[in-house]
Amino acid sequence: MFEKILIANRGEIALRVLRACREMGIKTVAVHSTADNEAMHVRLADEAVCIGPPPGRDSYLNKAAVISAAMITNAEAIHPGYGFLSENAEFADMVKDHGLTFIGPSPEHIRIMGDKVQAKLTAQKLGIPVVPGSDGAVKNEDDAVKVAEEIGYPVLIKATAGGGGRGMKVAASKSEIREAFKVASSEAEAAFGNGEVYMEKYLGQPRHIEIQVLGDQHGNVVHLGERDCSLQRKHQKIFEECPSPALNPKQRDDIGKIVTTALKKIGYHNAGTVEFLYEDGKFYFIEMNTRLQVEHPITEMITGLDLVREQIRVAAGLELGFSQKDVEFQGCAMECRINAEDPRTFAPSPGTITGYHAPGGRRVRVDSAMYAGSKIPPYYDSLISKLIVQGSTRNECIMRMRRALHEYVIDGIKTTIPLHQAVLDQQVIIDGNYDIRWLERFVADWVRSGSG
Ligand code: ADP
Protein backbone atom coordinates (compact mmCIF):
# COMPACT_ATOMS: atom_id res chain seq x y z
CA MET A 1 0.00 0.00 0.00
CA PHE A 2 1.07 3.58 -0.64
CA GLU A 3 2.65 5.49 2.21
CA LYS A 4 1.97 8.96 0.82
CA ILE A 5 -0.60 10.30 -1.66
CA LEU A 6 -0.75 13.73 -3.26
CA ILE A 7 -4.26 15.12 -3.68
CA ALA A 8 -4.45 17.19 -6.87
CA ASN A 9 -7.62 19.10 -6.03
CA ARG A 10 -9.25 21.55 -3.64
CA GLY A 11 -12.48 22.08 -1.69
CA GLU A 12 -14.73 19.33 -0.45
CA ILE A 13 -13.32 16.63 -2.72
CA ALA A 14 -9.73 17.23 -1.56
CA LEU A 15 -11.00 16.82 1.99
CA ARG A 16 -12.96 13.72 1.03
CA VAL A 17 -9.83 12.04 -0.34
CA LEU A 18 -7.76 13.21 2.62
CA ARG A 19 -10.22 11.61 5.03
CA ALA A 20 -10.01 8.24 3.29
CA CYS A 21 -6.18 8.42 3.35
CA ARG A 22 -6.12 9.24 7.08
CA GLU A 23 -8.39 6.30 7.83
CA MET A 24 -6.04 4.04 5.86
CA GLY A 25 -2.93 5.34 7.64
CA ILE A 26 -1.64 7.00 4.46
CA LYS A 27 0.16 10.37 4.64
CA THR A 28 -1.21 13.20 2.49
CA VAL A 29 0.21 16.06 0.46
CA ALA A 30 -2.12 18.93 -0.42
CA VAL A 31 -1.45 21.25 -3.34
CA HIS A 32 -3.00 24.69 -3.46
CA SER A 33 -3.11 28.04 -5.19
CA THR A 34 -2.34 31.27 -3.36
CA ALA A 35 -6.11 31.84 -3.05
CA ASP A 36 -6.37 28.69 -0.92
CA ASN A 37 -3.56 29.29 1.59
CA GLU A 38 -5.99 28.90 4.48
CA ALA A 39 -8.23 26.25 2.97
CA MET A 40 -9.27 23.26 5.04
CA HIS A 41 -7.50 20.70 2.82
CA VAL A 42 -4.25 22.62 3.27
CA ARG A 43 -4.67 22.85 7.05
CA LEU A 44 -5.44 19.16 7.49
CA ALA A 45 -2.88 17.60 5.15
CA ASP A 46 0.45 16.33 6.47
CA GLU A 47 2.28 18.50 3.94
CA ALA A 48 1.21 21.25 1.57
CA VAL A 49 2.80 22.70 -1.55
CA CYS A 50 1.74 25.99 -3.14
CA ILE A 51 1.63 25.40 -6.90
CA GLY A 52 0.70 28.80 -8.29
CA PRO A 53 -1.54 31.84 -8.48
CA PRO A 54 -5.36 31.65 -8.18
CA PRO A 55 -6.59 30.91 -11.72
CA GLY A 56 -7.06 27.16 -12.23
CA ARG A 57 -4.94 27.06 -15.37
CA ASP A 58 -1.97 28.45 -13.41
CA SER A 59 -2.33 26.13 -10.41
CA TYR A 60 -4.68 23.14 -10.16
CA LEU A 61 -4.47 22.56 -13.94
CA ASN A 62 -0.71 23.04 -14.11
CA LYS A 63 0.42 19.46 -14.77
CA ALA A 64 4.15 20.09 -14.35
CA ALA A 65 3.62 21.93 -11.05
CA VAL A 66 1.46 19.12 -9.64
CA ILE A 67 3.96 16.44 -10.66
CA SER A 68 6.90 18.44 -9.29
CA ALA A 69 5.03 18.77 -5.98
CA ALA A 70 4.66 14.97 -5.87
CA MET A 71 8.34 14.44 -6.68
CA ILE A 72 9.71 16.83 -4.05
CA THR A 73 7.49 15.40 -1.32
CA ASN A 74 8.14 11.75 -2.29
CA ALA A 75 4.46 11.01 -2.80
CA GLU A 76 3.94 7.70 -4.60
CA ALA A 77 0.49 8.27 -6.07
CA ILE A 78 -1.79 11.13 -7.15
CA HIS A 79 -5.55 11.25 -6.57
CA PRO A 80 -7.09 13.77 -8.99
CA GLY A 81 -10.59 14.04 -7.43
CA TYR A 82 -13.12 15.24 -10.01
CA GLY A 83 -12.83 18.14 -12.47
CA PHE A 84 -9.37 19.73 -13.02
CA LEU A 85 -6.95 16.99 -14.22
CA SER A 86 -9.13 13.99 -13.38
CA GLU A 87 -10.03 13.14 -16.98
CA ASN A 88 -6.86 14.38 -18.63
CA ALA A 89 -5.21 11.38 -20.33
CA GLU A 90 -2.01 13.32 -20.98
CA PHE A 91 -1.69 14.03 -17.25
CA ALA A 92 -2.31 10.35 -16.40
CA ASP A 93 0.47 9.46 -18.87
CA MET A 94 2.82 12.00 -17.30
CA VAL A 95 2.14 10.63 -13.82
CA LYS A 96 3.04 7.15 -15.02
CA ASP A 97 6.15 8.38 -16.85
CA HIS A 98 7.42 9.86 -13.60
CA GLY A 99 7.14 6.52 -11.86
CA LEU A 100 4.05 7.54 -9.91
CA THR A 101 0.61 5.90 -9.75
CA PHE A 102 -2.45 7.70 -11.08
CA ILE A 103 -5.44 6.80 -8.89
CA GLY A 104 -7.89 6.23 -11.71
CA PRO A 105 -8.30 4.11 -14.82
CA SER A 106 -5.66 3.64 -17.53
CA PRO A 107 -4.83 6.67 -19.73
CA GLU A 108 -6.13 4.65 -22.70
CA HIS A 109 -9.60 4.33 -21.15
CA ILE A 110 -9.65 8.01 -20.17
CA ARG A 111 -8.77 8.88 -23.77
CA ILE A 112 -11.46 6.70 -25.37
CA MET A 113 -14.23 7.92 -23.08
CA GLY A 114 -13.09 11.56 -23.32
CA ASP A 115 -13.94 11.64 -27.02
CA LYS A 116 -17.72 11.40 -27.10
CA VAL A 117 -17.95 9.92 -30.61
CA GLN A 118 -15.37 7.24 -29.82
CA ALA A 119 -16.99 6.57 -26.45
CA LYS A 120 -20.35 5.99 -28.08
CA LEU A 121 -18.92 3.72 -30.78
CA THR A 122 -17.04 1.76 -28.11
CA ALA A 123 -20.16 1.45 -25.95
CA GLN A 124 -22.15 0.21 -28.94
CA LYS A 125 -19.48 -2.35 -29.82
CA LEU A 126 -19.51 -3.58 -26.23
CA GLY A 127 -23.26 -4.17 -26.28
CA ILE A 128 -24.37 -1.07 -24.33
CA PRO A 129 -27.57 0.51 -25.74
CA VAL A 130 -26.98 3.99 -27.22
CA VAL A 131 -29.18 6.87 -28.44
CA PRO A 132 -29.91 6.44 -32.16
CA GLY A 133 -27.83 8.94 -34.13
CA SER A 134 -25.05 9.57 -36.61
CA ASP A 135 -22.24 7.04 -37.07
CA GLY A 136 -19.52 9.27 -35.75
CA ALA A 137 -18.99 12.93 -36.57
CA VAL A 138 -21.24 14.83 -38.99
CA LYS A 139 -19.12 16.80 -41.49
CA ASN A 140 -21.42 19.42 -42.97
CA GLU A 141 -24.96 20.81 -43.15
CA ASP A 142 -25.99 18.49 -46.00
CA ASP A 143 -24.95 15.43 -44.02
CA ALA A 144 -26.79 16.80 -40.98
CA VAL A 145 -29.98 17.00 -43.06
CA LYS A 146 -29.52 13.41 -44.24
CA VAL A 147 -28.90 12.02 -40.75
CA ALA A 148 -31.91 13.92 -39.36
CA GLU A 149 -34.16 12.42 -42.06
CA GLU A 150 -32.93 8.96 -41.07
CA ILE A 151 -33.35 9.23 -37.31
CA GLY A 152 -36.36 11.56 -37.36
CA TYR A 153 -36.92 14.96 -35.74
CA PRO A 154 -36.36 16.38 -33.17
CA VAL A 155 -32.59 15.88 -33.21
CA LEU A 156 -29.80 17.07 -30.95
CA ILE A 157 -26.48 18.28 -32.31
CA LYS A 158 -23.66 17.72 -29.80
CA ALA A 159 -19.96 18.59 -29.62
CA THR A 160 -17.53 15.66 -29.91
CA ALA A 161 -15.34 17.35 -27.30
CA GLY A 162 -18.44 18.25 -25.25
CA GLY A 163 -18.76 18.87 -21.56
CA GLY A 164 -21.05 20.85 -19.29
CA GLY A 165 -23.78 20.89 -21.92
CA ARG A 166 -21.95 23.36 -24.19
CA GLY A 167 -22.09 23.12 -27.99
CA MET A 168 -25.51 21.42 -27.83
CA LYS A 169 -28.42 22.50 -30.06
CA VAL A 170 -31.86 21.03 -30.72
CA ALA A 171 -33.43 21.11 -34.18
CA ALA A 172 -37.17 20.44 -34.11
CA SER A 173 -37.65 20.31 -37.88
CA LYS A 174 -35.96 20.58 -41.27
CA SER A 175 -36.23 24.36 -41.19
CA GLU A 176 -34.00 24.51 -38.12
CA ILE A 177 -31.33 21.93 -38.86
CA ARG A 178 -28.87 24.02 -40.92
CA GLU A 179 -28.86 26.89 -38.44
CA ALA A 180 -28.57 24.49 -35.47
CA PHE A 181 -25.59 22.77 -37.10
CA LYS A 182 -23.84 26.11 -37.62
CA VAL A 183 -24.49 27.35 -34.08
CA ALA A 184 -23.45 24.05 -32.42
CA SER A 185 -20.19 23.85 -34.41
CA SER A 186 -19.21 27.44 -33.71
CA GLU A 187 -20.10 27.10 -30.01
CA ALA A 188 -18.03 23.91 -29.85
CA GLU A 189 -15.13 25.62 -31.62
CA ALA A 190 -15.28 28.53 -29.17
CA ALA A 191 -15.60 26.37 -26.05
CA PHE A 192 -13.27 23.46 -26.88
CA GLY A 193 -11.16 24.63 -29.85
CA ASN A 194 -12.73 21.75 -31.78
CA GLY A 195 -15.84 22.39 -33.86
CA GLU A 196 -16.59 18.72 -34.61
CA VAL A 197 -20.17 17.68 -33.85
CA TYR A 198 -22.32 14.54 -33.96
CA MET A 199 -26.06 13.97 -33.88
CA GLU A 200 -28.57 12.13 -31.74
CA LYS A 201 -32.28 11.64 -31.55
CA TYR A 202 -33.55 14.22 -29.03
CA LEU A 203 -35.40 12.48 -26.22
CA GLY A 204 -38.37 14.49 -24.93
CA GLN A 205 -38.82 13.49 -21.29
CA PRO A 206 -36.00 11.20 -20.19
CA ARG A 207 -34.55 10.66 -16.76
CA HIS A 208 -30.79 10.76 -16.21
CA ILE A 209 -29.78 7.48 -14.59
CA GLU A 210 -26.15 6.46 -14.12
CA ILE A 211 -24.48 3.24 -13.06
CA GLN A 212 -21.52 3.30 -10.66
CA VAL A 213 -18.82 0.72 -11.37
CA LEU A 214 -15.65 -0.34 -9.66
CA GLY A 215 -12.99 -2.56 -11.21
CA ASP A 216 -9.61 -3.92 -10.16
CA GLN A 217 -6.51 -4.79 -12.19
CA HIS A 218 -7.30 -8.52 -11.97
CA GLY A 219 -10.36 -8.50 -14.24
CA ASN A 220 -13.05 -8.03 -11.58
CA VAL A 221 -15.74 -5.41 -12.23
CA VAL A 222 -18.81 -4.85 -10.05
CA HIS A 223 -21.60 -2.30 -10.24
CA LEU A 224 -22.94 -0.46 -7.19
CA GLY A 225 -26.39 0.27 -8.54
CA GLU A 226 -27.68 3.49 -10.00
CA ARG A 227 -28.09 7.16 -9.14
CA ASP A 228 -30.94 9.24 -10.49
CA CYS A 229 -29.61 12.68 -11.43
CA SER A 230 -32.61 13.99 -13.33
CA LEU A 231 -32.86 17.25 -11.39
CA GLN A 232 -30.69 19.46 -13.58
CA ARG A 233 -30.44 23.11 -14.47
CA LYS A 234 -28.59 23.94 -17.67
CA HIS A 235 -27.40 20.31 -17.77
CA GLN A 236 -25.86 20.70 -14.30
CA LYS A 237 -27.00 18.26 -11.62
CA ILE A 238 -28.25 19.85 -8.41
CA PHE A 239 -29.82 16.92 -6.54
CA GLU A 240 -29.33 13.18 -6.79
CA GLU A 241 -30.98 10.15 -5.24
CA CYS A 242 -30.62 6.41 -5.19
CA PRO A 243 -32.20 4.06 -5.92
CA SER A 244 -33.98 5.72 -8.84
CA PRO A 245 -37.75 5.94 -8.20
CA ALA A 246 -38.15 4.77 -11.82
CA LEU A 247 -36.35 1.40 -11.62
CA ASN A 248 -37.22 -1.98 -10.17
CA PRO A 249 -34.61 -4.53 -8.98
CA LYS A 250 -34.79 -6.53 -12.21
CA GLN A 251 -34.13 -3.46 -14.38
CA ARG A 252 -31.21 -2.57 -12.09
CA ASP A 253 -29.73 -6.07 -12.37
CA ASP A 254 -30.17 -6.11 -16.15
CA ILE A 255 -28.49 -2.79 -16.88
CA GLY A 256 -25.84 -3.51 -14.23
CA LYS A 257 -25.01 -6.79 -15.94
CA ILE A 258 -24.76 -5.15 -19.37
CA VAL A 259 -22.39 -2.50 -18.02
CA THR A 260 -20.13 -4.81 -16.01
CA THR A 261 -19.89 -7.34 -18.86
CA ALA A 262 -18.89 -4.55 -21.26
CA LEU A 263 -16.27 -3.06 -18.94
CA LYS A 264 -14.77 -6.45 -18.16
CA LYS A 265 -14.19 -6.90 -21.90
CA ILE A 266 -11.96 -3.82 -22.04
CA GLY A 267 -10.25 -4.48 -18.69
CA TYR A 268 -11.55 -1.30 -17.08
CA HIS A 269 -10.22 -0.67 -13.59
CA ASN A 270 -10.83 1.87 -10.81
CA ALA A 271 -14.07 3.85 -10.38
CA GLY A 272 -16.23 4.87 -13.32
CA THR A 273 -19.77 5.93 -14.09
CA VAL A 274 -21.76 5.04 -17.15
CA GLU A 275 -24.42 7.69 -17.80
CA PHE A 276 -27.72 6.93 -19.49
CA LEU A 277 -30.88 8.69 -20.46
CA TYR A 278 -33.87 6.54 -19.58
CA GLU A 279 -37.24 6.84 -21.29
CA ASP A 280 -40.19 4.44 -21.64
CA GLY A 281 -38.32 1.62 -19.96
CA LYS A 282 -35.25 1.89 -22.20
CA PHE A 283 -31.67 2.94 -21.44
CA TYR A 284 -29.61 5.05 -23.85
CA PHE A 285 -25.87 5.54 -23.19
CA ILE A 286 -24.74 9.19 -23.30
CA GLU A 287 -21.26 9.14 -21.80
CA MET A 288 -18.87 7.52 -19.36
CA ASN A 289 -17.02 9.43 -16.65
CA THR A 290 -13.67 7.85 -15.88
CA ARG A 291 -13.35 9.27 -12.36
CA LEU A 292 -15.03 9.67 -9.00
CA GLN A 293 -18.30 11.62 -9.31
CA VAL A 294 -19.51 14.51 -7.15
CA GLU A 295 -22.57 12.45 -6.17
CA HIS A 296 -20.69 9.28 -5.12
CA PRO A 297 -21.63 9.64 -1.41
CA ILE A 298 -25.25 8.55 -1.95
CA THR A 299 -23.96 5.25 -3.30
CA GLU A 300 -21.70 4.95 -0.25
CA MET A 301 -24.68 5.58 2.04
CA ILE A 302 -26.71 2.67 0.68
CA THR A 303 -23.88 0.19 0.01
CA GLY A 304 -21.77 0.90 3.10
CA LEU A 305 -18.65 1.04 0.89
CA ASP A 306 -15.97 3.73 0.84
CA LEU A 307 -15.40 4.43 -2.84
CA VAL A 308 -12.20 6.44 -2.36
CA ARG A 309 -10.72 3.67 -0.23
CA GLU A 310 -11.58 1.17 -2.97
CA GLN A 311 -10.04 3.45 -5.61
CA ILE A 312 -6.80 3.61 -3.63
CA ARG A 313 -6.77 -0.14 -3.00
CA VAL A 314 -7.26 -1.13 -6.63
CA ALA A 315 -4.77 1.50 -7.83
CA ALA A 316 -2.22 -0.15 -5.51
CA GLY A 317 -2.87 -3.43 -7.34
CA LEU A 318 -5.05 -5.12 -4.71
CA GLU A 319 -8.10 -7.15 -5.67
CA LEU A 320 -11.60 -5.89 -4.90
CA GLY A 321 -12.38 -7.57 -1.62
CA PHE A 322 -15.95 -8.47 -2.65
CA SER A 323 -18.01 -9.69 -5.59
CA GLN A 324 -21.33 -8.63 -7.11
CA LYS A 325 -23.37 -10.88 -4.84
CA ASP A 326 -21.85 -9.19 -1.76
CA VAL A 327 -23.16 -5.78 -2.85
CA GLU A 328 -26.34 -4.98 -0.92
CA PHE A 329 -28.47 -1.86 -1.02
CA GLN A 330 -29.86 -0.49 2.25
CA GLY A 331 -32.73 1.96 1.95
CA CYS A 332 -32.46 5.24 0.07
CA ALA A 333 -30.10 8.20 -0.03
CA MET A 334 -30.31 11.75 -1.36
CA GLU A 335 -27.83 14.56 -1.93
CA CYS A 336 -28.39 18.31 -2.27
CA ARG A 337 -25.56 20.20 -3.92
CA ILE A 338 -25.24 23.52 -2.12
CA ASN A 339 -23.69 26.20 -4.27
CA ALA A 340 -22.45 29.68 -3.37
CA GLU A 341 -24.98 31.24 -5.73
CA ASP A 342 -28.04 33.43 -5.64
CA PRO A 343 -30.84 30.82 -5.58
CA ARG A 344 -32.95 32.85 -8.03
CA THR A 345 -30.45 34.26 -10.54
CA PHE A 346 -27.74 31.63 -10.01
CA ALA A 347 -25.14 34.41 -10.05
CA PRO A 348 -22.02 33.27 -8.15
CA SER A 349 -21.80 34.61 -4.60
CA PRO A 350 -18.15 34.48 -3.51
CA GLY A 351 -17.11 36.05 -0.20
CA THR A 352 -16.39 35.21 3.41
CA ILE A 353 -18.53 32.86 5.47
CA THR A 354 -19.26 34.83 8.62
CA GLY A 355 -21.24 32.16 10.45
CA TYR A 356 -21.42 28.43 9.90
CA HIS A 357 -23.34 25.61 11.49
CA ALA A 358 -23.66 22.26 9.74
CA PRO A 359 -26.58 19.92 10.37
CA GLY A 360 -25.97 16.62 12.10
CA GLY A 361 -27.85 13.76 13.67
CA ARG A 362 -28.79 10.31 12.52
CA ARG A 363 -27.90 9.36 8.96
CA VAL A 364 -26.81 12.87 7.94
CA ARG A 365 -23.48 13.48 6.21
CA VAL A 366 -22.02 16.83 5.19
CA ASP A 367 -19.14 16.84 2.72
CA SER A 368 -17.79 20.37 2.80
CA ALA A 369 -14.54 22.23 3.34
CA MET A 370 -16.29 25.29 4.80
CA TYR A 371 -15.89 26.76 8.28
CA ALA A 372 -16.78 30.08 9.95
CA GLY A 373 -14.32 32.60 8.51
CA SER A 374 -13.48 30.62 5.39
CA LYS A 375 -13.26 32.46 2.11
CA ILE A 376 -14.90 31.41 -1.12
CA PRO A 377 -12.66 32.66 -3.90
CA PRO A 378 -14.31 33.68 -7.19
CA TYR A 379 -11.99 31.54 -9.32
CA TYR A 380 -13.46 28.07 -8.92
CA ASP A 381 -16.61 25.98 -9.02
CA SER A 382 -19.40 27.33 -6.82
CA LEU A 383 -20.12 23.97 -5.10
CA ILE A 384 -19.38 24.53 -1.40
CA SER A 385 -21.15 21.68 0.31
CA LYS A 386 -22.96 18.42 -0.29
CA LEU A 387 -25.69 17.55 2.16
CA ILE A 388 -26.36 13.83 2.10
CA VAL A 389 -28.97 11.86 4.01
CA GLN A 390 -30.02 8.26 4.23
CA GLY A 391 -33.35 6.75 5.19
CA SER A 392 -35.06 3.37 5.26
CA THR A 393 -37.65 4.69 2.85
CA ARG A 394 -37.78 7.49 0.32
CA ASN A 395 -40.25 9.40 2.47
CA GLU A 396 -37.95 9.17 5.49
CA CYS A 397 -35.15 10.58 3.30
CA ILE A 398 -37.25 13.55 2.20
CA MET A 399 -38.29 14.34 5.80
CA ARG A 400 -34.66 14.04 6.98
CA MET A 401 -33.34 16.22 4.15
CA ARG A 402 -35.93 18.90 4.96
CA ARG A 403 -34.96 18.98 8.63
CA ALA A 404 -31.22 19.00 7.78
CA LEU A 405 -31.67 21.91 5.33
CA HIS A 406 -33.61 23.73 8.04
CA GLU A 407 -30.68 23.33 10.48
CA TYR A 408 -27.99 24.41 8.02
CA VAL A 409 -26.62 27.93 8.70
CA ILE A 410 -24.27 29.52 6.17
CA ASP A 411 -24.02 33.28 6.76
CA GLY A 412 -22.22 35.94 4.75
CA ILE A 413 -22.92 34.62 1.26
CA LYS A 414 -25.95 33.49 -0.74
CA THR A 415 -26.54 29.76 -1.21
CA THR A 416 -28.95 27.51 -3.07
CA ILE A 417 -30.45 26.14 0.18
CA PRO A 418 -33.80 28.00 -0.37
CA LEU A 419 -34.13 26.41 -3.82
CA HIS A 420 -33.64 22.91 -2.38
CA GLN A 421 -36.23 23.63 0.29
CA ALA A 422 -38.75 24.74 -2.33
CA VAL A 423 -38.02 21.74 -4.56
CA LEU A 424 -38.44 19.23 -1.74
CA ASP A 425 -41.95 20.57 -1.08
CA GLN A 426 -43.18 19.80 -4.59
CA GLN A 427 -45.62 16.93 -5.10
CA VAL A 428 -43.73 15.80 -8.23
CA ILE A 429 -40.62 15.29 -6.11
CA ILE A 430 -42.52 13.61 -3.30
CA ASP A 431 -43.96 11.23 -5.91
CA GLY A 432 -40.54 10.73 -7.52
CA ASN A 433 -42.14 11.49 -10.83
CA TYR A 434 -39.75 13.98 -12.46
CA ASP A 435 -37.65 14.04 -15.64
CA ILE A 436 -34.63 16.09 -16.78
CA ARG A 437 -36.84 18.97 -17.97
CA TRP A 438 -38.84 19.44 -14.77
CA LEU A 439 -36.45 21.60 -12.73
CA GLU A 440 -35.97 24.33 -15.36
CA ARG A 441 -39.75 24.79 -15.59
CA PHE A 442 -40.09 24.79 -11.82
CA VAL A 443 -37.33 27.36 -11.35
CA ALA A 444 -38.87 29.69 -13.95
CA ASP A 445 -42.28 29.56 -12.18
CA TRP A 446 -40.72 29.86 -8.71
CA VAL A 447 -38.72 32.95 -9.65
CA ARG A 448 -41.67 34.53 -11.51
CA SER A 449 -44.12 33.96 -8.66
CA GLY A 450 -41.69 35.59 -6.25
CA SER A 451 -42.34 32.83 -3.74
CA GLY A 452 -38.61 32.27 -3.61
P1 ADP B 1 -22.02 16.94 -21.42
O1 ADP B 1 -20.78 16.11 -21.55
O2 ADP B 1 -21.92 18.27 -22.12
O3 ADP B 1 -22.49 17.04 -20.01
P2 ADP B 1 -23.97 14.82 -22.01
O4 ADP B 1 -23.94 14.00 -23.23
O5 ADP B 1 -23.55 14.17 -20.71
O6 ADP B 1 -23.14 16.17 -22.27
O7 ADP B 1 -25.41 15.39 -21.80
C1 ADP B 1 -25.72 16.33 -20.80
C2 ADP B 1 -27.21 16.44 -20.62
O8 ADP B 1 -27.83 16.87 -21.86
C3 ADP B 1 -27.91 15.15 -20.26
O9 ADP B 1 -27.88 14.87 -18.87
C4 ADP B 1 -29.30 15.46 -20.76
O10 ADP B 1 -29.94 16.35 -19.83
C5 ADP B 1 -29.08 16.23 -22.05
N1 ADP B 1 -29.01 15.33 -23.24
C6 ADP B 1 -27.91 14.73 -23.75
N2 ADP B 1 -28.20 13.95 -24.81
C7 ADP B 1 -29.53 14.06 -25.01
C8 ADP B 1 -30.47 13.51 -25.97
N3 ADP B 1 -30.09 12.68 -26.95
N4 ADP B 1 -31.78 13.85 -25.85
C9 ADP B 1 -32.19 14.69 -24.88
N5 ADP B 1 -31.38 15.26 -23.96
C10 ADP B 1 -30.06 14.96 -24.01
Side-chain angles (χ1 to χ4, degrees):
M1 186 43 67
F2 309 115
E3 279 177 21
K4 199 191 269 186
I5 291 177
L6 179 137
I7 303 163
N9 217 301
R10 64 181 301 282
E12 69 85 17
I13 197 62
L15 204 54
R16 166 71 190 90
V17 175
L18 188 147
R19 285 172 170 156
C21 291
R22 267 275 148 85
E23 291 177 14
M24 295 173 83
I26 299 171
K27 294 234 171 336
T28 52
V29 180
V31 291
H32 65 96
S33 73
T34 49
D36 281 337
N37 287 341
E38 284 160 33
M40 191 83 115
H41 74 286
V42 176
R43 291 172 178 224
L44 288 181
D46 294 298
E47 288 168 79
V49 181
C50 180
I51 52 167
R57 63 175 181 280
D58 299 325
S59 51
Y60 297 101
L61 285 168
N62 183 339
K63 303 184 192 83
V66 172
I67 290 179
S68 306
M71 302 301 285
I72 58 170
T73 54
N74 291 320
E76 302 151 81
I78 298 184
H79 195 303
Y82 53 70
F84 293 127
L85 297 169
S86 61
E87 288 177 294
N88 188 311
E90 197 194 345
F91 177 67
D93 272 330
M94 279 171 75
V95 171
K96 226 178 173 176
D97 293 344
H98 284 79
L100 306 168
T101 301
F102 180 77
I103 302 177
S106 69
E108 181 205 346
H109 291 148
I110 299 175
R111 206 163 265 128
I112 295 173
M113 296 302 170
D115 176 312
K116 302 191 86 177
V117 164
Q118 258 217 51
K120 206 175 157 186
L121 290 173
T122 307
Q124 205 167 5
K125 246 187 270 159
L126 292 170
I128 297 177
V130 301
V131 192
S134 55
D135 297 324
V138 178
K139 297 205 172 41
N140 52 46
E141 287 175 36
D142 290 338
D143 284 356
V145 175
K146 266 185 232 144
V147 174
E149 297 292 319
E150 273 163 39
I151 58 179
Y153 288 97
V155 295
L156 184 62
I157 305 179
K158 299 169 88 171
T160 307
R166 281 171 303 176
M168 246 189 241
K169 276 282 159 291
V170 184
S173 66
K174 197 167 174 183
S175 64
E176 291 175 16
I177 184 82
R178 289 180 186 271
E179 183 62 19
F181 180 90
K182 257 189 261 168
V183 174
S185 330
S186 55
E187 255 187 46
E189 179 67 45
F192 313 109
N194 173 0
E196 195 175 79
V197 296
Y198 65 107
M199 279 167 67
E200 275 179 359
K201 174 98 191 139
Y202 178 76
L203 303 174
Q205 294 181 309
R207 297 182 82 113
H208 173 118
I209 299 180
E210 59 188 33
I211 307 293
Q212 173 72 54
V213 297
L214 208 48
D216 64 21
Q217 301 187 52
H218 304 271
N220 303 302
V221 180
V222 298
H223 75 85
L224 305 178
E226 81 282 10
R227 293 184 286 260
D228 195 316
C229 314
S230 302
L231 280 191
Q232 301 181 356
R233 189 185 156 268
K234 295 202 188 302
H235 305 300
Q236 302 288 326
K237 302 165 186 168
I238 72 142
F239 166 99
E240 304 90 2
E241 65 174 306
C242 63
S244 167
L247 291 196
N248 62 39
K250 162 125 179 38
Q251 290 170 303
R252 174 173 313 113
D253 284 352
D254 289 350
I255 192 70
K257 224 168 264 162
I258 290 173
V259 166
T260 49
T261 307
L263 294 179
K264 269 182 205 165
K265 279 190 206 153
I266 57 168
Y268 189 87
H269 57 86
N270 220 281
T273 299
V274 182
E275 297 194 334
F276 293 95
L277 293 179
Y278 175 83
E279 195 173 63
D280 299 331
K282 290 202 193 89
F283 283 95
Y284 303 95
F285 171 90
I286 46 170
E287 69 169 338
M288 175 164 188
N289 291 318
T290 52
R291 55 167 167 85
L292 189 68
Q293 304 255 125
V294 173
E295 59 273 23
H296 77 276
I298 55 173
T299 298
E300 297 186 321
M301 293 296 253
I302 68 162
T303 59
L305 290 163
D306 177 339
L307 259 65
V308 177
R309 181 189 182 93
E310 296 304 330
Q311 283 194 292
I312 295 171
R313 286 184 72 263
V314 297
L318 298 175
E319 277 195 58
L320 277 179
F322 55 92
S323 64
Q324 192 65 56
K325 65 176 183 349
D326 302 320
V327 178
E328 279 176 27
F329 304 106
Q330 294 282 336
C332 301
M334 292 178 175
E335 171 181 278
C336 287
R337 295 192 188 195
I338 296 167
N339 291 344
E341 285 170 3
D342 182 306
R344 287 150 205 99
T345 63
F346 300 94
S349 178
T352 301
I353 293 187
T354 51
Y356 185 81
H357 174 81
R362 204 164 113 82
R363 295 175 167 183
V364 174
R365 165 173 168 180
V366 179
D367 276 22
S368 173
M370 295 298 111
Y371 56 91
S374 66
K375 292 190 183 66
I376 297 157
Y379 311 100
Y380 315 109
D381 195 275
S382 61
L383 178 74
I384 53 165
S385 175
K386 302 184 312 202
L387 176 55
I388 304 127
V389 303
Q390 201 223 342
S392 307
T393 61
R394 200 168 170 272
N395 189 48
E396 192 181 310
C397 257
I398 292 175
M399 297 303 283
R400 184 161 291 131
M401 186 63 95
R402 285 182 183 156
R403 79 100 176 130
L405 285 166
H406 180 72
E407 282 175 31
Y408 212 157
V409 179
I410 304 177
D411 289 333
I413 56 157
K414 290 179 183 165
T415 77
T416 48
I417 289 177
L419 173 65
H420 286 296
Q421 288 176 311
V423 165
L424 281 171
D425 279 345
Q426 301 308 305
Q427 195 60 41
V428 171
I429 301 301
I430 294 164
D431 295 340
N433 191 18
Y434 54 93
D435 61 51
I436 62 168
R437 316 261 171 244
W438 181 83
L439 184 69
E440 298 257 10
R441 287 197 304 268
F442 171 75
V443 168
D445 289 348
W446 185 62
V447 170
R448 203 175 311 122
S449 71
S451 51

